[in-house]
Amino acid sequence: MNTFKLNESDILSNQDWTFPTNIAYGPGRLKEIGKICNDLDIKNPLIVTDKGSPKLPFITNIQSYLTSSNIKSDLFFDISPNPREDEISVGRKKYKDGNHDAIIAIGGGSAMDGGKMICLTANNDVPLRDFEFELTPPKISKDNPFPKIITIPTTAGTGAETEITGMVTYLKEGMKFCMWHPDVRPSLALIDPELTIGLPSNLTAWTGADALIHGIEGYCVPGFNPMCDGAALEGLNLISKSLITAVEDPSNLLARGGMHVGSCLAGISFLKGLGLVHAIAHMVGAEYNTHHGLTNAIILPVVLKYNLPGMEEKVKRMSEAMQFKDHSVDAFILNIEKILDRIKFQKV
Amino acid sequence: MSELGVPEDCVDRIAEKAMKDQAFATNPKIATLAEVKEMTLASIKKAR
């Protein structure tokens, strides 16, 4: 494991992609946020982050960059690690009271999901629950579209930055629900691996394991979707090259970059869907407010042992992408467990 | 997950809810309630 290398000139240089939305990747690109807002005609964004982040450097930095570009903004940070419906309502009110014209969601998955959920209801009176994944998406007037949203992940795990979905916890039911709308896709995802340099090792491991699981579960979903499957395999490739180094050498920008792009690709891959790891983890998180990535990682080996026998071809493809030597099902599960052991998942 | 404060007596409830999750529907194998309970319990007691 981890015997092959990332391409330094690729990972450490700026890249602009357009699939599945506009993506600005590169170390230090948070500095471009003022220009990005100007290009998108954003004049008064609401910055949305989670409760643990308002005093972190990336918040003061983004506020400073916006101010220096003469863009006013405000900050909403009442988003829990597992975002709740009542928090979305408060954020919506803050958006409307501040006459904002866009949202910049910066942080981990909770901040980005929270930002997207505020977008869903900011310019209309449609109840949030009407955006539930299994329902027909509500019709949104072209005269009153969703606000533009820019997503800026500061962890490499959630993959929420390019997605049109978000998870919301309903406390009364003790359940998480997936909300979505095809038109709520971020206008731009800004992926700056420097933002993850200060992330503690345990959070790097937990969020990184989440990315790994997105790639595995996304790839194992039945159906012919070569774009998602290609993203899953390349995501797994980058994650396998980067995860252990990112945990053990947190200031390694190359590994941080590999994880950030790998996480983004794994996030794209689960457009196809996910699996039992997430189904169980969503409900555990909704009731016990556990960290999503950590919960997923604990459940993963049990589900792999149930799911993978009989899926030899897919296991071989994932195993090749991760450059394991033995491509059998048993060896794949063992190698995944070795990665989890190495990033210290046995010690909670 | 017991070390995270997840008790064993939540297994039935969590498993039933998990089967309503959107991710359950796209799992490569259609698990029975008994199988989901078994995996949930194993994850609470000792995942590996």
Side-chain angles (χ1 to χ4, degrees):
Chain A
M1 114 185 36
N2 204 30
T3 55
F4 54 130
K5 303 292 182 189
L6 294 163
N7 184 323
E8 193 166 327
S9 62
D10 286 345
I11 298 288
L12 297 183
S13 61
N14 291 354
Q15 314 281 343
D16 292 310
W17 302 308
T18 57
F19 173 78
T21 187
N22 295 311
I23 299 173
Y25 167 80
R29 295 197 75 176
L30 185 65
K31 293 185 180 75
E32 298 177 20
I33 190 65
K35 180 182 183 306
I36 288 167
C37 285
N38 284 326
D39 290 347
L40 291 169
D41 198 26
I42 293 171
K43 296 177 170 47
N44 180 22
L46 178 65
I47 301 167
V48 176
T49 193
D50 56 86
K51 287 178 178 172
S53 297
K55 293 184 179 171
L56 293 179
F58 62 76
I59 294 295
T60 49
N61 286 342
I62 194 171
Q63 289 173 317
S64 167
Y65 297 144
L66 289 169
T67 301
S68 63
S69 295
N70 296 316
I71 296 168
K72 72 173 184 174
S73 65
D74 200 356
L75 179 66
F76 177 67
F77 57 88
D78 282 331
I79 298 285
S80 297
N82 292 299
R84 305 192 318 248
E85 54 163 333
D86 55 314
E87 296 166 340
I88 305 307
S89 299
V90 177
R92 175 182 186 265
K93 183 173 187 308
K94 177 126 184 165
Y95 180 90
K96 293 180 84 70
D97 289 350
N99 291 313
H100 294 286
D101 61 356
I103 284 174
I104 299 175
I106 180 167
S110 53
M112 289 187 286
D113 278 5
K116 279 186 271 184
M117 296 305 99
I118 293 170
C119 271
L120 283 178
T121 55
N123 289 342
N124 58 63
D125 293 319
V126 180
L128 181 61
R129 196 65 180 265
D130 286 5
F131 291 96
E132 200 177 327
F133 191 84
E134 290 175 359
L135 303 176
T136 302
K139 287 189 177 173
I140 301 298
S141 163
K142 287 183 179 174
D143 298 330
N144 219 14
F146 298 125
K148 289 173 184 165
I149 177 167
I150 296 169
T151 47
I152 308 176
T154 61
T155 64
T158 174
E161 58 269 20
T162 66
E163 293 300 313
I164 53 177
T165 58
M167 300 300 297
V168 182
T169 296
Y170 282 73
L171 289 178
K172 280 185 186 170
E173 289 152 279
M175 291 178 74
K176 278 188 187 183
F177 292 93
C178 181
M179 307 298 175
W180 82 302
H181 194 281
D183 297 335
V184 82
R185 191 171 306 277
S187 300
L188 181 130
L190 197 164
I191 302 179
D192 179 350
E194 286 185 359
L195 301 177
T196 66
I197 290 286
L199 195 67
S201 281
N202 64 336
L203 286 177
T204 302
W206 298 353
T207 53
D210 192 23
L212 172 71
I213 295 163
H214 290 154
I216 294 171
E217 288 215 294
Y219 188 67
C220 288
V221 170
F224 181 60
N225 192 325
M227 284 171 284
C228 286
D229 288 349
L233 294 176
E234 187 60 20
L236 288 172
N237 179 282
L238 286 166
I239 290 164
S240 68
K241 289 173 179 171
S242 315
L243 176 56
I244 290 171
T245 306
V247 172
E248 296 182 351
D249 180 13
S251 61
N252 187 313
L253 188 59
L254 194 58
R256 292 294 194 176
M259 276 308 299
H260 231 24
V261 180
S263 166
C264 180
L265 286 168
I268 293 167
S269 79
F270 71 74
L271 179 70
K272 277 170 72 188
L274 287 163
L276 265 171
V277 175
H278 276 79
I280 297 170
H282 285 155
M283 300 311 161
V284 171
E287 282 208 28
Y288 299 99
N289 205 26
T290 52
H291 187 280
H292 175 67
L294 173 60
T295 313
N296 272 345
I298 292 168
I299 299 167
L300 176 67
V302 174
V303 171
L304 289 183
K305 287 168 191 165
Y306 174 79
N307 272 344
L308 295 189
M311 298 182 66
E312 282 74 13
E313 176 61 27
K314 284 202 170 187
V315 170
K316 180 171 179 286
R317 296 286 302 276
M318 292 192 290
S319 180
E320 288 170 343
M322 300 184 78
Q323 294 213 342
F324 297 150
K325 288 179 182 169
D326 181 342
H327 302 320
S328 68
V329 166
D330 287 347
F332 182 80
I333 295 170
L334 193 61
N335 279 315
I336 294 297
E337 289 189 305
K338 280 182 182 172
I339 292 173
L340 297 178
D341 283 343
R342 180 79 178 264
I343 58 176
K344 296 188 169 44
F345 262 103
Q346 75 275 32
K347 295 173 184 173
V348 174
Chain B
M1 293 190 288
S2 58
E3 292 179 41
L4 304 180
V6 182
E8 290 184 26
D9 63 9
C10 75
V11 164
D12 290 0
R13 193 172 62 246
I14 293 290
E16 283 170 15
K17 289 179 184 177
M19 292 181 77
K20 296 175 185 166
D21 190 274
Q22 165 207 352
F24 177 81
T26 50
N27 192 66
K29 288 184 182 172
I30 303 301
T32 64
L33 178 59
E35 288 169 331
V36 180
K37 284 181 184 177
E38 191 178 328
M39 284 183 265
T40 306
L41 183 62
S43 303
I44 291 172
K45 293 172 79 169
K46 190 177 188 308
R48 285 179 275 154

